[in-house]
Amino acid sequence: MKDLKHLIYFEQLLDNADNELVRKAAAEGNLAMGYTCYHVPEPILNVGNCFSVRLRAPHTGSIDIATYYMSNYTCEFARALTERAIEGGFNYLNALFGAEGCAAMERMEEHFALLHPVQNDRFFTTIIDPPMKGDKTSLDYYKAQLQLKVLDALHEHYGVDVSDEALQEAVARHNRLCRVVTAIGDFRKLENPPITGYEYHVMMLVSQVCPHDLILPYLEDTLAELQTRQPEPVFPFRARVALAGSEIDDPEFTKLIEMCG
């Protein structure tokens, strides 16, 4: 297939945590809100002049320092985030919103508060306690956590407008992004999709680690491009399986070929 126009740019955006669009948004006076878990909903981190950035740790090498603080029994991802923070890799952040989803991630979030690795005097860390049940009492508790530890914290530290009107606008913007990403993903359902799994996942990632209003035009442009993109005559995996199957006399392999269409 012909290369997607923006794919190389998308890949470049994933090279660094503080990618080009993050730096551009920060330079315009917007606030970078780091998060690691879906328990903190993206829309409320994109209220007012805030933008959400899901934390990653590209170019991670040694995690020895983080291991000293967290022990080698905690997961490598949590330690990698801590290591990158100590190295100064998250100095662009204005806040980190965590959740008690797992013990290792909670330890990482606590070290952001204890070690003060982010060189920003106004930076703060907050950790919500998401309930693990879906009843009304748990919902009320969850709403109270988000109000106190996210919305009120944003207003207190940065004067962010967290009114109902501002929240509704943030949700509307988020839904627009979701509709575009969903429409792109729907092309993967076709018999011979004009987009590979790799390409789709790259776009999913950039939608989570870049300011939504800056990445959205590129995703919308890609969606329009996919409308006319011509897929391969035969999906490459099926072609390879069929070729291999022609040389192998194995009933189980023949069954695999049939399953692949």
Coordinates of all heavy atoms in Angstrom, one line a residue, residues 30-31 33 42-52 154 160-181 207 210-217 219-220:
N30 N -0.4 26.5 27.7 CA -1.3 25.4 28.2 C -0.6 24.5 29.2 O 0.7 24.5 29.3 CB -1.7 24.6 27.0 CG -2.6 25.4 26.0 OD1 -3.6 26.0 26.4 ND2 -2.2 25.5 24.8
L31 N -1.3 23.8 30.0 CA -0.8 23.0 31.1 C -0.8 21.5 30.8 O -1.9 21.0 30.4 CB -1.6 23.3 32.3 CG -1.8 24.8 32.7 CD1 -2.8 24.9 33.9 CD2 -0.4 25.3 33.1
M33 N -0.9 17.8 31.8 CA -1.4 16.9 32.8 C -1.1 15.5 32.6 O -1.6 14.8 31.7 CB -3.0 17.1 33.0 CG -3.5 18.5 33.2 SD -3.1 19.1 34.8 CE -2.0 20.5 34.4
E42 N -9.8 11.0 30.7 CA -9.1 12.0 29.9 C -9.9 13.3 29.8 O -9.2 14.4 29.9 CB -8.9 11.4 28.5 CG -7.7 10.5 28.4 CD -7.5 10.1 26.9 OE1 -6.8 10.8 26.2 OE2 -8.0 9.1 26.5
P43 N -11.2 13.3 29.6 CA -11.9 14.6 29.4 C -11.6 15.6 30.5 O -11.4 16.8 30.2 CB -13.3 14.3 29.3 CG -13.3 12.9 28.8 CD -12.1 12.2 29.4
I44 N -11.6 15.2 31.8 CA -11.4 16.2 32.8 C -10.0 16.6 33.0 O -9.7 17.6 33.7 CB -12.0 15.6 34.2 CG1 -11.1 14.4 34.7 CG2 -13.4 15.2 34.1 CD1 -11.5 14.0 36.1
L45 N -9.1 16.0 32.3 CA -7.7 16.5 32.2 C -7.5 17.4 31.1 O -6.4 18.0 30.9 CB -6.7 15.3 32.2 CG -6.7 14.3 33.3 CD1 -5.6 13.3 33.1 CD2 -6.5 15.1 34.7
N46 N -8.5 17.6 30.2 CA -8.5 18.4 29.1 C -9.4 19.6 29.2 O -9.8 20.2 28.2 CB -8.8 17.7 27.8 CG -7.6 16.7 27.4 OD1 -6.7 17.1 26.8 ND2 -7.7 15.5 27.8
V47 N -9.8 19.9 30.5 CA -10.7 21.0 30.7 C -9.9 22.3 30.7 O -8.7 22.4 31.0 CB -11.4 20.8 32.1 CG1 -10.4 20.9 33.2 CG2 -12.5 21.8 32.3
G48 N -10.5 23.4 30.2 CA -9.9 24.7 30.2 C -8.6 24.7 29.3 O -8.7 24.2 28.2
N49 N -7.5 25.2 29.8 CA -6.3 25.3 29.1 C -5.3 24.1 29.4 O -4.1 24.2 29.3 CB -5.5 26.6 29.3 CG -5.1 26.8 30.7 OD1 -5.7 26.2 31.6 ND2 -4.0 27.5 31.0
C50 N -5.9 23.0 29.9 CA -5.1 21.8 30.2 C -5.1 20.8 29.0 O -6.1 20.8 28.2 CB -5.7 21.1 31.5 SG -5.7 22.2 32.9
F51 N -4.1 20.0 29.0 CA -4.1 18.9 28.0 C -3.5 17.7 28.7 O -2.5 17.7 29.4 CB -3.4 19.3 26.7 CG -1.9 19.5 26.8 CD1 -1.0 18.5 26.6 CD2 -1.5 20.8 27.2 CE1 0.4 18.8 26.7 CE2 -0.1 21.1 27.3 CZ 0.8 20.1 27.1
S52 N -4.1 16.5 28.4 CA -3.6 15.3 29.0 C -2.5 14.6 28.2 O -2.4 14.7 27.0 CB -4.8 14.3 29.1 OG -5.3 13.9 27.8
L154 N -7.0 21.2 40.3 CA -6.7 22.1 39.1 C -7.1 23.5 39.4 O -6.3 24.4 39.0 CB -7.4 21.5 37.9 CG -6.8 20.2 37.3 CD1 -7.7 19.8 36.1 CD2 -5.4 20.5 36.8
V160 N -7.8 26.9 37.0 CA -8.5 26.3 35.8 C -10.0 26.4 36.0 O -10.5 26.1 37.1 CB -8.1 24.8 35.6 CG1 -8.9 24.2 34.4 CG2 -6.6 24.8 35.3
D161 N -10.7 26.8 34.9 CA -12.2 26.8 34.9 C -12.7 25.4 34.9 O -12.5 24.6 33.9 CB -12.7 27.6 33.7 CG -14.2 27.7 33.7 OD1 -14.9 27.2 34.6 OD2 -14.7 28.1 32.6
V162 N -13.3 24.9 36.0 CA -13.8 23.6 36.1 C -15.4 23.6 36.2 O -16.0 22.7 36.8 CB -13.2 22.8 37.2 CG1 -11.7 22.6 37.0 CG2 -13.4 23.5 38.6
S163 N -16.0 24.6 35.7 CA -17.4 24.7 35.7 C -18.1 23.6 34.9 O -17.4 23.0 34.1 CB -17.9 26.1 35.2 OG -17.5 26.2 33.9
D164 N -19.4 23.4 35.0 CA -20.1 22.4 34.2 C -20.0 22.7 32.8 O -19.8 21.8 31.9 CB -21.6 22.4 34.6 CG -21.8 21.7 36.0 OD1 -20.8 21.1 36.5 OD2 -22.9 21.9 36.6
E165 N -20.0 24.0 32.4 CA -19.9 24.4 31.0 C -18.6 24.0 30.4 O -18.5 23.5 29.3 CB -20.2 25.9 30.8 CG -21.6 26.4 31.1 CD -21.9 26.4 32.6 OE1 -20.9 26.4 33.4 OE2 -23.1 26.6 33.0
A166 N -17.5 24.3 31.2 CA -16.2 23.9 30.8 C -16.0 22.4 30.6 O -15.4 21.9 29.7 CB -15.1 24.5 31.7
L167 N -16.6 21.7 31.5 CA -16.5 20.2 31.5 C -17.3 19.7 30.3 O -16.8 18.8 29.6 CB -17.0 19.6 32.8 CG -16.2 19.7 34.0 CD1 -16.9 19.3 35.2 CD2 -14.9 19.0 33.8
Q168 N -18.4 20.2 30.0 CA -19.2 19.8 28.8 C -18.5 20.1 27.5 O -18.5 19.3 26.6 CB -20.6 20.5 28.8 CG -21.5 20.0 29.9 CD -22.8 20.9 30.1 OE1 -22.9 21.9 29.3 NE2 -23.6 20.5 31.0
E169 N -17.8 21.2 27.5 CA -17.0 21.5 26.3 C -15.8 20.5 26.1 O -15.5 20.1 25.0 CB -16.4 22.9 26.4 CG -15.6 23.4 25.2 CD -15.0 24.8 25.3 OE1 -15.4 25.5 26.3 OE2 -14.2 25.1 24.5
A170 N -15.2 20.2 27.3 CA -14.1 19.2 27.2 C -14.6 17.9 26.8 O -13.9 17.2 26.0 CB -13.4 19.1 28.6
V171 N -15.7 17.4 27.2 CA -16.3 16.1 26.8 C -16.6 16.2 25.3 O -16.4 15.2 24.6 CB -17.5 15.8 27.7 CG1 -18.3 14.6 27.1 CG2 -17.2 15.6 29.1
A172 N -17.2 17.3 24.8 CA -17.5 17.4 23.4 C -16.2 17.3 22.6 O -16.2 16.6 21.5 CB -18.2 18.7 23.1
R173 N -15.2 17.9 23.0 CA -13.9 17.8 22.2 C -13.4 16.4 22.2 O -12.9 15.9 21.2 CB -12.9 18.8 22.8 CG -13.2 20.3 22.6 CD -12.0 21.1 22.8 NE -11.3 20.9 24.1 CZ -11.5 21.5 25.2 NH1 -12.4 22.5 25.2 NH2 -10.9 21.2 26.3
H174 N -13.5 15.8 23.4 CA -13.0 14.4 23.5 C -13.8 13.4 22.7 O -13.2 12.6 22.0 CB -13.1 14.0 25.0 CG -12.6 12.6 25.3 ND1 -11.2 12.3 25.3 CD2 -13.2 11.4 25.4 CE1 -11.0 11.0 25.6 NE2 -12.2 10.4 25.6
N175 N -15.1 13.6 22.6 CA -16.0 12.8 21.8 C -15.6 12.9 20.3 O -15.7 11.9 19.6 CB -17.4 13.1 22.1 CG -17.9 12.6 23.4 OD1 -17.3 11.7 24.0 ND2 -19.0 13.1 23.9
R176 N -15.3 14.1 19.9 CA -14.9 14.3 18.5 C -13.7 13.5 18.2 O -13.6 12.9 17.1 CB -14.7 15.8 18.3 CG -14.2 16.2 16.8 CD -13.9 17.6 16.7 NE -13.4 17.9 15.4 CZ -12.9 19.1 15.0 NH1 -12.9 20.1 15.9 NH2 -12.4 19.3 13.8
L177 N -12.7 13.5 19.1 CA -11.5 12.8 18.8 C -11.8 11.3 18.8 O -11.3 10.5 17.9 CB -10.4 13.0 19.9 CG -9.2 12.2 19.9 CD1 -8.2 12.8 18.8 CD2 -8.4 12.2 21.2
C178 N -12.6 10.8 19.7 CA -13.0 9.4 19.8 C -13.7 9.0 18.5 O -13.5 7.8 18.0 CB -13.9 9.1 21.0 SG -13.0 9.2 22.6
R179 N -14.6 9.8 18.0 CA -15.3 9.4 16.7 C -14.3 9.3 15.6 O -14.5 8.3 14.8 CB -16.3 10.5 16.4 CG -17.6 10.4 17.3 CD -18.7 11.3 16.7 NE -18.4 12.7 16.8 CZ -18.7 13.5 17.8 NH1 -19.4 13.0 18.9 NH2 -18.4 14.8 17.9
V180 N -13.3 10.1 15.5 CA -12.3 10.0 14.4 C -11.5 8.7 14.6 O -11.3 7.9 13.6 CB -11.4 11.2 14.4 CG1 -10.2 11.0 13.4 CG2 -12.2 12.5 14.0
V181 N -11.0 8.4 15.8 CA -10.2 7.2 16.1 C -11.0 6.0 15.8 O -10.5 5.0 15.2 CB -9.6 7.3 17.5 CG1 -9.0 5.9 17.8 CG2 -8.7 8.4 17.7
S207 N -2.7 9.7 19.8 CA -3.9 10.3 20.3 C -3.9 10.5 21.8 O -4.7 11.3 22.4 CB -5.2 9.6 19.9 OG -5.4 8.4 20.6
C210 N -0.4 13.2 22.8 CA -0.3 14.6 22.2 C -1.5 15.4 22.6 O -2.6 14.8 22.8 CB -0.2 14.5 20.7 SG 1.2 13.6 20.1
P211 N -1.4 16.7 22.7 CA -2.6 17.5 22.9 C -3.7 17.3 21.8 O -3.4 17.2 20.6 CB -2.0 19.0 22.8 CG -0.6 18.8 23.0 CD -0.2 17.5 22.5
H212 N -4.9 17.0 22.3 CA -5.9 16.6 21.4 C -6.2 17.6 20.2 O -6.4 17.2 19.1 CB -7.2 16.3 22.2 CG -7.1 15.1 23.0 ND1 -8.1 14.7 23.9 CD2 -6.1 14.2 23.2 CE1 -7.8 13.6 24.5 NE2 -6.6 13.3 24.1
D213 N -6.2 18.9 20.6 CA -6.6 19.8 19.5 C -5.5 19.9 18.5 O -5.8 20.4 17.3 CB -6.9 21.2 20.2 CG -5.7 21.8 20.9 OD1 -4.9 21.0 21.5 OD2 -5.5 23.0 20.9
L214 N -4.2 19.6 18.8 CA -3.1 19.7 17.9 C -3.0 18.4 17.0 O -2.6 18.4 15.9 CB -1.8 20.0 18.6 CG -1.8 21.3 19.3 CD1 -0.4 21.5 19.9 CD2 -2.1 22.5 18.4
I215 N -3.3 17.2 17.6 CA -3.2 16.0 16.9 C -4.4 15.7 16.0 O -4.3 15.0 15.0 CB -2.9 14.8 17.8 CG1 -2.3 13.6 17.0 CG2 -4.1 14.4 18.6 CD1 -1.0 13.8 16.3
L216 N -5.6 16.2 16.4 CA -6.8 15.9 15.7 C -6.8 16.2 14.2 O -7.2 15.4 13.4 CB -8.0 16.6 16.4 CG -9.4 16.3 15.9 CD1 -9.7 14.8 15.9 CD2 -10.4 17.1 16.6
P217 N -6.3 17.4 13.8 CA -6.3 17.6 12.4 C -5.5 16.6 11.6 O -5.9 16.2 10.4 CB -5.6 19.0 12.2 CG -5.9 19.7 13.6 CD -5.8 18.5 14.6
L219 N -5.2 13.4 12.4 CA -6.0 12.2 12.4 C -7.1 12.3 11.4 O -7.5 11.4 10.7 CB -6.4 11.9 13.8 CG -5.4 11.5 14.8 CD1 -6.0 11.4 16.2 CD2 -4.6 10.2 14.4
E220 N -7.8 13.5 11.4 CA -8.9 13.7 10.5 C -8.4 13.6 9.0 O -9.0 13.1 8.2 CB -9.5 15.1 10.7 CG -10.3 15.1 12.1 CD -10.9 16.5 12.4 OE1 -10.2 17.5 11.9 OE2 -11.9 16.6 13.0

